[in-house]
């Protein structure tokens, strides 16, 4: 789900018990490669919702979440940040962290 404002981002995080926020930048080749892989991972976990936002389009989001590099991936459980990954992300490691987090929650 593409998010277009800080309010939409906050609403997304608060309305989904387990939410992943993917903050990208339009000229970021790493972002373009990782987003489809992130979408594939999320399909395996029905309780997880994925939202993405263009940090250039919604500049306030980078300051609010201290996401000064792209991509930045934040995982929230009940509105609290639990995982933060940035720039060069090993998707296998990220998925292992996500699985562990899911196993520790009621999701």
């Amino acid at each position: 789900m593409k998010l277009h404002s800080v309010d939409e981002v906050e609403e997304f995080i608060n309305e989904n018990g387990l939410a992943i926020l993917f903050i990208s930048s339009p000229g970021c080749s790493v972002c373009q490669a990782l987003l489809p892989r992130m979408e594939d991972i999320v399909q395996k976990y029905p309780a997880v919702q994925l939202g993405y936002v263009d940090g250039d389009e919604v500049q306030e989001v980078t300051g609010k979440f201290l996401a000064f590099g792209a991509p930045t991936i934040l995982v929230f459980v009940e509105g609290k940040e639990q995982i933060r990954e940035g720039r060069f992300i090993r998707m296998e490691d990220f998925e292992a962290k996500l699985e562990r987090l899911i196993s520790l929650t009621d999701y």
Side-chain angles (χ1 to χ4, degrees):
M1 166 192 300
K2 178 133 190 204
L3 306 167
H4 300 280
S5 70
V6 172
D7 290 339
E8 283 184 15
V9 170
E10 289 176 349
E11 184 177 321
F12 170 77
I13 292 168
N14 292 326
E15 288 183 355
N16 295 289
L18 215 161
I20 298 176
L21 178 62
F22 188 96
I23 303 171
S24 65
S25 177
C28 170
S29 60
V30 175
C31 301
Q32 293 171 359
L34 285 184
L35 185 58
R37 292 186 65 198
M38 184 64 64
E39 291 170 334
D40 289 343
I41 288 173
V42 170
Q43 287 183 7
K44 298 178 193 176
Y45 307 99
V48 178
Q49 298 300 313
L50 174 65
Y52 58 94
V53 64
D54 178 337
D56 286 355
E57 176 187 331
V58 186
Q59 294 179 356
E60 307 86 44
V61 82
T62 57
K64 178 166 181 61
F65 295 101
L66 303 175
F68 300 112
T72 298
I73 299 172
L74 306 172
V75 180
F76 296 88
V77 175
E78 300 297 328
K80 293 183 174 60
E81 183 182 322
Q82 300 296 319
I83 299 172
R84 174 180 286 260
E85 296 285 335
R87 198 70 185 132
F88 299 104
I89 301 158
R90 286 184 37 114
M91 294 309 286
E92 297 81 15
D93 293 344
F94 174 80
E95 188 170 4
K97 289 178 188 178
L98 183 62
E99 283 180 4
R100 184 168 188 279
L101 184 62
I102 291 168
S103 73
L104 295 173
T105 64
D106 293 331
Y107 295 99

